[in-house]
Amino acid sequence: MNQKLPLVLEIVWLIVMIASASLAVYRTMQTNFSENILLYVIAILAALMYTSRRYLRRTREKNQSQK
């Protein structure tokens, strides 16, 4: 279970990123951009968390395979 947790967290951040980005685009088409800036910020933060989690997981897997 402990080895699956980083992958699960990575997938959760990917889902949050996709959902918030798509909702931000949809709401921007209905209203203006300034009302939806927070959704774009959430999408960017989720993308950063996804990439950092992915990097850490791959580094950890690489280090475990070398041992």
Side-chain angles (χ1 to χ4, degrees):
M1 177 65 185
N2 203 12
Q3 294 177 355
K4 292 182 183 180
L5 186 62
L7 182 62
V8 170
L9 290 174
E10 184 179 321
I11 292 170
V12 166
W13 282 114
L14 181 63
I15 291 170
V16 169
M17 177 184 65
I18 292 170
S20 62
S22 61
L23 182 64
V25 169
Y26 175 74
R27 289 197 44 173
T28 300
M29 293 170 72
Q30 291 182 343
T31 61
N32 57 4
F33 178 77
S34 62
E35 292 180 12
N36 301 307
I37 262 181
L38 186 59
L39 288 172
Y40 287 105
V41 169
I42 291 171
I44 291 170
L45 290 175
L48 291 173
M49 287 299 296
Y50 168 74
T51 54
S52 67
R53 280 300 207 173
R54 183 178 172 121
Y55 173 77
L56 287 173
R57 180 181 57 87
R58 287 188 170 192
T59 305
R60 199 171 294 143
E61 286 175 354
K62 185 178 176 181
N63 288 340
Q64 285 179 356
S65 67
Q66 289 178 354
K67 288 182 180 181

